[in-house]
Amino acid sequence: MVVDGEPDSSDSLRTFGAVVQALREHAGLSREEFAELVCFSKHTVASVELGRRMPDPTFVERAEEALGNTGALRRAAQHLARQPGLAAWFRQWARMEVVAITLYTYECRLIPGLLQTEAYARQLFADELPPLGDEQIEAQWGARGERQRLLRDRPNTAFSFIIEEHLLRRRTGGSEVTRELIDHMLEVAELRNIEVQVMPLVRESHAGLHGPIRLLETPENKWFAYNEGQESGQLITDRKVISTLQARYARMRSQALTIQDSLSLLQRMRGDL
């Protein structure tokens, strides 16, 4: 399938996986031995080699070192940026999400993608300008649905979401879509590694008025941030900027409703629909 003139991501994933497997076998390593060298599970190695999983940057670097530093994997990984359904500026962040051990998200514009239902997401796609074609919409939902697997596939990752109350009061897509969205958020919030807090409509002091915040911690305990605008996104690596965003997020966690009060509010809002 071709979307926006780009080839199906499965083609590039299979090609990259084949390169990894060929180099591994040339080095005389079994999957188990290679997995130990790169500090990933044998299952992850198999998924990458079979083209079923997008390798994160850490995997690529460790695989390069384990397989002779030829540069072949780094070059091949550059072509994996072509992922139908994900904006070009978001793809690097999406790859980092896959291995993050901490992921914080504050949103004031729309419900974060990881928490969206299909109906809510499709309403957003339908509202896009210029209009999206059917194939583009399917590709975008497919990519978003795949990302959402992180919430259940990464039980050791700590997820925190702070969302503005007005995002649900707006009733994007209508009452039924909003009801389903709240039910989904309540269900997700039952997972022990996920915290959902609501910033109330009335809040005299608010540390997030500069806009959305995304923070991520890697397995190496390095922090990154991401900022997205109308038609662009920026990966932030500056420690001073990240420290500022962490401080703002921490303040917002104290300013938002508690987790229990947030869930109670969601339940009341659901009952009002």
Side-chain angles (χ1 to χ4, degrees), residues 205-223:
S205 178
H206 193 321
L209 298 182
H210 289 280
I213 294 175
R214 297 192 193 198
L215 293 162
L216 176 153
E217 183 184 11
T218 71
E220 294 76 32
N221 305 116
K222 294 181 179 180
W223 284 87

Side-chain angles (χ1 to χ4, degrees), residues 99-112:
V99 295
I101 62 173
T102 306
L103 194 63
Y104 294 160
T105 304
Y106 163 65
E107 260 296 352
C108 56
R109 303 167 301 181
L110 72 169
I111 300 300

